[in-house]
Amino acid sequence: MKIKISQFIQNYWILLIIVAVKLILQYVLVNPVYELHRDEFLHLDQAKHLAFGFISVPPFTSLISKIIFLLGGDIFWIRFFPGLFGALTIVFSWLIVEAAGGKITSKIMVSLALLFSVLIRLNILFQPNSFDILVWTIIFYLLVKYVNSGNNKWLWYLAVIVAFGLYNKYTVAFLIAGLLAGLLLTAQRKIFSELSFWKVLLLTVLLFLPNLIWQIHNHFPLIAHMKVLKANQLDNNSSSGFIRGQIMFFFGSIPLTLCALSAFAFYKPFKPYRFIGICFIMVMTLFAFLKAKDYYAIGLYPVIFAFGGVFIERVLSLRWKLVVLPSLIIFNLSVFLLVAKLVFPVLTPQQIAQNREKFEKFGMLRWEDGKNHILPQDFADMIGWREMAGKALAAYNMIPSGEIENTLVFCDNYGQTGALNYYNRGKMKEAY
């Protein structure tokens, strides 16, 4: 056992350091003036009403909320889990590089590309997005392992991960559509002639069946929610805005993306993995056509960076590696530091207002209603909750004790409701 542990540390000590830095940054890059996000209160509140589905989201995040409250419900644990999912995304990206035959230089390059990226902002918030990106990355990892070995065990693991992904966020269905297209259009289409594939597909359906039954029993609230989402948010998006978002998210890692897509098309050793490149293009096209939110596609990038890094490592001579690889890392880090104060909630609302022009220039003040506001929408959704909950509690305490039993605490939206139930838990009746 001691030999295995020492060998593990020897092989992965750099990865362990990167993971530790990742978890630290998730706490450091948030100004204490900011509280929880509006959506986080929704997911935390669902822990008190566990079910196989909810109107706007699948049930997985509510289970994590339950665990958070069992651990005390502190903000440390609320931020820990999305940070953990982000760290595991880096781990599985490292493992994809390993499975693709990459060495330490490409592993470090890809890990740092993900570490110093928009993922930090996403992993600050306790929402389904962090686990969603992790699931996409694991799906690609399992498929790469299957292609390399032909061992059906990777497909059985895949069934479980896909089911978990669907229980977390339905956007995994777009990834599955892209993968099916990629497999059909490449030599990997042979998978459809194997009985084990259809058995795995059946297992996935069976695992997801409880949520599907819940949807049927409740008259498919997912469809109603998507209609509301389209009318209130997606109609204010644009295909060009979606593409622009992709460039902004990983601007410092554009070379990795371009190298990966070129390699999938022309680099013979990557021919077995060409379905990944096709999947990337298909999903991007589908999201752009539907005017989806730009962050929906982030889960595609870890595997793309992995293969881009391996390609660069293989085709460059040692002399060029010593020049190009550090340059790519420095470029990515420089872009990260340049936009850090704009992308992450490190400035106070007053400081943001004083630098409004910079935020407006990068489109940071544009909300889902299509209009510009004083603060970025995510930042605005992270202030004022504690004060509101305190005022509500003060009013609640003015109610005569004999009338408490007949009192209903009613709010306008899930942010207000969740904030009252989070900050005032044990002090007042549950808000609705």
Side-chain angles (χ1 to χ4, degrees):
M1 180 62 72
K2 290 183 178 179
I3 295 176
K4 289 182 178 180
I5 293 175
S6 62
Q7 187 177 0
F8 175 82
I9 294 175
Q10 183 179 352
N11 293 337
Y12 296 105
W13 66 271
I14 296 176
L15 176 60
L16 292 174
I17 291 175
I18 292 173
V19 166
V21 173
K22 165 69 175 176
L23 291 173
I24 292 171
L25 287 177
Q26 294 304 146
Y27 294 94
V28 172
L29 291 176
V30 184
N31 192 305
V33 73
Y34 295 101
E35 306 167 42
L36 297 178
H37 187 276
R38 175 190 300 270
D39 290 351
E40 294 179 282
F41 290 119
L42 166 66
H43 301 302
L44 290 170
D45 220 33
Q46 289 171 343
K48 300 193 298 294
H49 306 278
L50 296 180
F52 276 112
F54 297 95
I55 291 176
S56 59
V57 290
F60 178 80
T61 308
S62 65
L63 293 176
I64 302 299
S65 299
K66 191 70 175 180
I67 296 173
I68 288 172
F69 282 115
L70 290 175
L71 293 170
D74 297 333
I75 194 169
F76 172 86
W77 292 112
I78 297 172
R79 294 232 165 101
F80 171 78
F81 281 97
L84 174 64
F85 297 148
L88 289 175
T89 299
I90 294 176
V91 170
F92 276 95
S93 300
W94 180 292
L95 294 178
I96 291 174
V97 172
E98 208 169 69
K103 298 180 180 179
I104 191 64
T105 50
S106 56
K107 291 176 181 177
I108 293 175
M109 179 168 53
V110 172
S111 299
L112 294 182
L114 292 171
L115 175 63
F116 300 114
S117 73
V118 72
L119 275 180
I120 289 183
R121 175 172 174 177
L122 205 76
N123 297 151
I124 286 172
L125 304 177
F126 179 60
Q127 298 174 339
N129 302 318
S130 294
F131 188 73
D132 185 52
I133 294 169
L134 172 60
V135 164
W136 288 42
T137 306
I138 296 177
I139 287 173
F140 282 117
Y141 168 70
L142 295 175
L143 285 171
V144 170
K145 293 293 285 186
Y146 172 75
V147 169
N148 288 350
S149 65
N151 193 328
N152 288 333
K153 74 174 184 179
W154 301 108
L155 292 181
W156 293 107
Y157 297 155
L158 186 66
V160 177
I161 292 301
V162 170
F164 266 110
L166 289 170
Y167 274 110
N168 173 72
K169 196 170 184 180
Y170 299 120
T171 48
V172 173
F174 291 96
L175 171 62
I176 301 304
L179 284 172
L180 290 175
L183 292 170
L184 282 169
L185 293 173
T186 64
Q188 299 302 336
R189 69 177 69 89
K190 61 185 179 181
I191 193 175
F192 297 111
S193 64
E194 298 182 11
L195 181 61
S196 57
F197 170 80
W198 299 103
K199 290 181 178 179
V200 167
L201 182 62
L202 177 61
L203 175 60
T204 305
V205 173
L206 289 175
L207 291 173
F208 184 61
L209 194 57
N211 182 257
L212 184 59
I213 293 173
W214 183 91
Q215 288 284 344
I216 295 172
H217 179 73
N218 291 280
H219 311 291
F220 286 96
L222 170 64
I223 296 175
H225 174 68
M226 289 304 300
K227 289 180 179 178
V228 173
L229 186 68
K230 181 179 184 300
N232 294 338
Q233 296 182 18
L234 299 184
D235 281 350
N236 296 316
N237 295 346
S238 65
S239 299
S240 59
F242 173 83
I243 299 299
R244 186 167 58 250
Q246 307 310 305
I247 297 173
M248 291 180 61
F249 283 158
F250 296 105
F251 185 79
S253 301
I254 288 178
L256 286 175
T257 302
L258 295 178
C259 285
L261 295 178
S262 300
F264 285 134
F266 305 111
Y267 187 52
K268 191 173 181 180
F270 281 4
K271 187 176 180 180
Y273 313 110
R274 191 167 291 169
F275 70 93
I276 297 175
I278 295 174
C279 174
F280 178 88
I281 295 172
M282 292 292 293
V283 175
M284 282 292 183
T285 302
L286 189 58
F287 277 152
F289 175 76
L290 295 174
K291 298 188 291 186
K293 296 181 181 181
D294 46 16
Y295 63 81
Y296 283 5
I298 290 179
L300 292 168
Y301 288 95
V303 68
I304 293 296
F305 291 169
F307 277 93
V310 173
F311 175 72
I312 292 173
E313 184 182 59
R314 286 186 182 180
V315 300
L316 294 180
S317 64
L318 177 61
R319 179 181 177 183
W320 278 105
K321 285 180 186 177
L322 295 175
V323 175
V324 174
L325 297 182
S327 299
L328 288 175
I329 293 172
I330 292 172
F331 176 64
N332 183 74
L333 181 58
S334 299
V335 172
F336 175 82
L337 294 174
L338 188 65
V339 301
K341 289 185 177 181
L342 297 174
V343 175
F344 308 113
V346 293
L347 298 180
T348 65
Q350 292 81 3
Q351 290 172 322
I352 293 175
Q354 292 169 1
N355 294 274
R356 180 187 178 97
E357 295 78 12
K358 292 183 180 179
F359 284 84
E360 207 162 24
K361 181 180 179 181
F362 286 91
M364 302 297 295
L365 300 182
R366 189 174 185 271
W367 287 20
E368 290 171 340
D369 61 5
K371 301 176 183 178
N372 281 352
H373 296 262
I374 298 175
L375 298 179
Q377 184 167 359
D378 279 347
F379 298 179
D381 281 340
M382 295 171 70
I383 55 177
W385 302 110
R386 186 188 298 271
E387 181 183 3
M388 183 207 68
K391 290 184 176 183
L393 180 60
Y396 181 84
N397 288 334
M398 295 171 64
I399 301 172
S401 57
E403 298 180 14
I404 290 293
E405 186 178 345
N406 298 318
T407 299
L408 173 67
V409 182
F410 184 76
C411 303
D412 285 339
N413 56 65
Y414 63 69
Q416 295 173 357
T417 309
L420 262 62
N421 289 335
Y422 177 76
Y423 287 117
N424 297 336
R425 59 189 186 278
K427 302 175 183 177
M428 62 184 292
K429 295 179 69 174
E430 183 179 1
Y432 293 91

